[in-house]
Amino acid sequence: MATLFEKICAREIPADIIYEDDFCLCFRDIAPQAPTHLLLIPRKPIERIALAQSEDQQLLGHMLLKAADIARQLGFAESGFRLVINNGADGGEAVPHLHIHILAGRKLIWPPG
């Protein structure tokens, strides 16, 4: 059964997509936790970061670099942003498809949880 994010990639579910390439897709979160809250997902269905394999190294690196590119393009790279990857139920994972939250637009406190 396809996850919500796989359905977004397949255009079966609409999303406010702001970036896509052959490897990943970035769209606005429907329940934002900051003025800017984006989700960057791999097209390849990887359930969670703890299940990524060594063969995923290039994809994961691409996604981190793309997150920084998106921050620059949207104008919040200099003021700051946070990347979050949740893993498992206790880590706050809600969708079993690896995704990077990109949060910006306000001062983000620490610790986050």
Side-chain angles (χ1 to χ4, degrees), residues 14 36 62 67 69 82 85 87 93:
T36 299
H62 174 77
D69 286 345
R82 180 174 291 163
I85 300 174
N87 188 90
E93 179 186 296

Side-chain angles (χ1 to χ4, degrees), residues 43-63:
R43 290 187 183 277
K44 177 183 178 182
I46 301 170
E47 193 169 336
R48 63 186 49 93
I49 193 67
L51 297 176
Q53 303 293 311
S54 59
E55 68 199 36
D56 300 317
Q57 182 175 347
Q58 186 172 358
L59 171 61
L60 297 173
H62 174 77
M63 290 178 64

Side-chain angles (χ1 to χ4, degrees), residues 75-98:
F76 57 82
E78 294 220 10
S79 60
F81 61 97
R82 180 174 291 163
L83 301 180
V84 176
I85 300 174
N86 299 325
N87 188 90
D90 285 350
E93 179 186 296
V95 177
H97 186 122
L98 175 66

Side-chain angles (χ1 to χ4, degrees), residues 1 6 14-15 19-20 38 40 51 60 67 83 86 91-92 98 104 111:
M1 183 170 161
E6 288 174 276
Y19 175 81
E20 65 180 309
L38 310 172
L40 180 61
L51 297 176
L60 297 173
L83 301 180
N86 299 325
L98 175 66

Side-chain angles (χ1 to χ4, degrees), residues 5-109:
F5 293 165
E6 288 174 276
K7 290 178 181 181
I8 289 172
C9 284
R11 300 300 202 274
E12 295 172 16
I13 295 175
D16 185 0
I17 298 170
I18 61 160
Y19 175 81
E20 65 180 309
D21 62 26
D22 291 341
F23 306 103
C24 59
L25 185 105
C26 185
F27 54 94
R28 296 190 188 282
D29 194 298
I30 61 168
Q33 301 300 305
T36 299
H37 187 167
L38 310 172
L39 298 175
L40 180 61
I41 64 171
R43 290 187 183 277
K44 177 183 178 182
I46 301 170
E47 193 169 336
R48 63 186 49 93
I49 193 67
L51 297 176
Q53 303 293 311
S54 59
E55 68 199 36
D56 300 317
Q57 182 175 347
Q58 186 172 358
L59 171 61
L60 297 173
H62 174 77
M63 290 178 64
L64 289 175
L65 293 173
K66 196 47 61 184
D69 286 345
I70 291 166
R72 280 189 292 279
Q73 290 170 7
L74 295 181
F76 57 82
E78 294 220 10
S79 60
F81 61 97
R82 180 174 291 163
L83 301 180
V84 176
I85 300 174
N86 299 325
N87 188 90
D90 285 350
E93 179 186 296
V95 177
H97 186 122
L98 175 66
H99 53 287
I100 301 172
H101 296 261
I102 304 171
L103 302 157
R106 68 171 168 83
K107 184 143 178 81
L108 299 167
I109 61 170

